[in-house]
Amino acid sequence: MSDKPRVLLIAASTGSRLRNRAFGMKLPLLGYPATNLALVAAVTPESFDISIVDECFEPVPYGQGDIALITGLTHHMPNVYRIADRLRAEGTRVVLCGMHVTALPEEALDHADAVIAGEVEAVWPEVLDDYLHGSLHPRYEGRPADLGSLPLPRRDLVNRKFYHPGEVIETTRGCPVGCGFCNVQNFYGARFRTRPPEQIEAELMEVFGPRPPQARWKEWIARHWHADIPYFIEKRLLYVMDSNLMSEPAHARKVCEVFRRVDLRWYGHVSFNVARNDEMLDLLAESGCMSVNIGFESLNQATINAVGKHTNRVTEYAECVRKLHERGIGVMGTFIVGFDEDGPEVFDRIADFALENQLETAFTLILTPLPGTRVYERMEAEGRITSRDWQDYDHGSVAFTPRNMTPSQLHWGMRSCWKRIYSLRGIRRRILRRPFVRPFFFLPINLGFRKCLRLIVSDSIWQPPAG
């Protein structure tokens, strides 16, 4: 038994087994390790004994930590607070962090010995030093990390059996756009920060190593089935967790060159305006990009303008999807419903768009007034927020009064989109019809979401609002 102080780094879940499953946390290729905590572990001094706990997959080891750092999104916070209260009752010192804590630090302090507002890595060693000297402060201000000086994440502390067969990497932080419904800019800042490409390449080579020589049977599979399949067999798959890999095109080009040299397959988040640069699209394809997640958000340009997503042009959406499909890159589109301009017709419009343009996946989420965002501030001022239960801030619940529909219409309308898009007919129309963009990759994902559908539409898991 180690005599070092024991640190628990905990990623909290929703606290509901069924909601965890409904969100697809345990689906192949969609469950990702808590890389942010693996990075916090990397800056933790060696004088501490560290454990990373992902509560979605494993129970919190109560009674086994001296100090715990807990993180979670807004809809995780009721469960975060339950975990924190129990740990503190047992004598464990508790520090809370994350986007919600940054927005509402005083609330979080009711359940913690200390809170960290903002990024954790730069201030975490200071917090631990104060803990050792019995002088833990109630509040710490995190600082934007210098991404080039951060150590590699402690992947050795992550239980790989819980997650998809690939790896996760972060190459940038920050967002210059600042959409009204999003809290990424409030947390990471408006300045776009990048990791040096050579550091990214070194990390990927440490994780994956050189690509092995191709056996004849792999060459046969690549030639007769699909060139990607050997990469799946070799587990050379990468998810890029950046909010927008393409915010700085010059850096994005260098990163894509790194991906091409390392020789892997990857997918991640990009902005809509990537489709305006044919050279960049070609480079994406050459670098091994299988799919991109694009925040289309709305099919109404007035809404796009109102939320400040100045990169998006609704009239160019279909052309964007076509250009990506021509290069064999799938499109995972995200839409939000419940904006002030949205009426009950919005749901069929989104489903029609997803089906007609063959989006490989389409996520329709309910607008959520997350603390710290402009949407929250406006709805609070207008008296439209109807729920103060943070569990309802999960993009599947209605926590406010919509302007042009009833709360019940918004609740069931969002679910009608999912039902149409992930029906067997919808899957067939989007995935099993030309241009056939990587169906071996997207068909299992879609069938997984179809299994989630019965949970998403269940009124026992998400109780419909009145009215």
Side-chain angles (χ1 to χ4, degrees), residues 367-389:
L367 179 66
T368 300
L370 296 171
T373 64
R374 295 197 304 277
V375 166
Y376 179 88
E377 292 169 358
R378 177 171 58 82
M379 289 191 177
E380 177 84 320
E382 295 171 354
R384 294 170 59 191
I385 293 179
T386 56
S387 173
R388 303 289 173 175
D389 183 346

Side-chain angles (χ1 to χ4, degrees), residues 8-12 37 60 68-72 77 79-85 87 94-98 101 111 124:
L8 301 178
L9 303 177
I10 302 170
L37 292 183
V60 173
L69 178 72
I70 313 175
T71 186
M77 294 313 293
N79 189 44
V80 167
Y81 295 152
R82 283 192 292 270
I83 295 169
D85 291 345
L87 285 170
V94 170
V95 183
L96 300 182
C97 66
V101 171
H111 304 271
W124 180 237

Side-chain angles (χ1 to χ4, degrees), residues 294-364:
I294 296 178
F296 292 113
E297 319 305 4
S298 174
L299 297 174
N300 185 328
Q301 190 63 47
T303 294
I304 295 296
N305 297 340
V307 300
K309 193 146 192 174
H310 54 76
T311 57
N312 285 25
R313 293 291 179 271
V314 171
T315 55
E316 300 174 18
Y317 282 4
E319 179 69 2
C320 166
V321 177
R322 184 189 66 79
K323 284 185 173 184
L324 288 161
H325 281 171
E326 283 179 349
R327 291 163 173 83
I329 299 173
V331 179
M332 307 169 102
T334 303
F335 300 87
I336 297 175
V337 290
F339 291 113
D340 285 355
E341 298 79 9
D342 289 345
E345 75 286 344
V346 69
F347 310 110
D348 279 337
R349 284 190 66 197
I350 291 173
D352 289 344
F353 179 87
L355 294 169
E356 290 167 7
N357 292 280
Q358 293 179 251
L359 300 189
E360 277 65 37
T361 65
F363 307 113
T364 307

Side-chain angles (χ1 to χ4, degrees), residues 4 87 99 101 180 254 265 298-299 379 417 430 434:
K4 296 179 180 180
L87 285 170
M99 292 183 179
V101 171
K254 292 176 182 177
R265 292 293 184 261
S298 174
L299 297 174
M379 289 191 177
C417 274
R430 291 180 299 103
R434 292 186 185 280

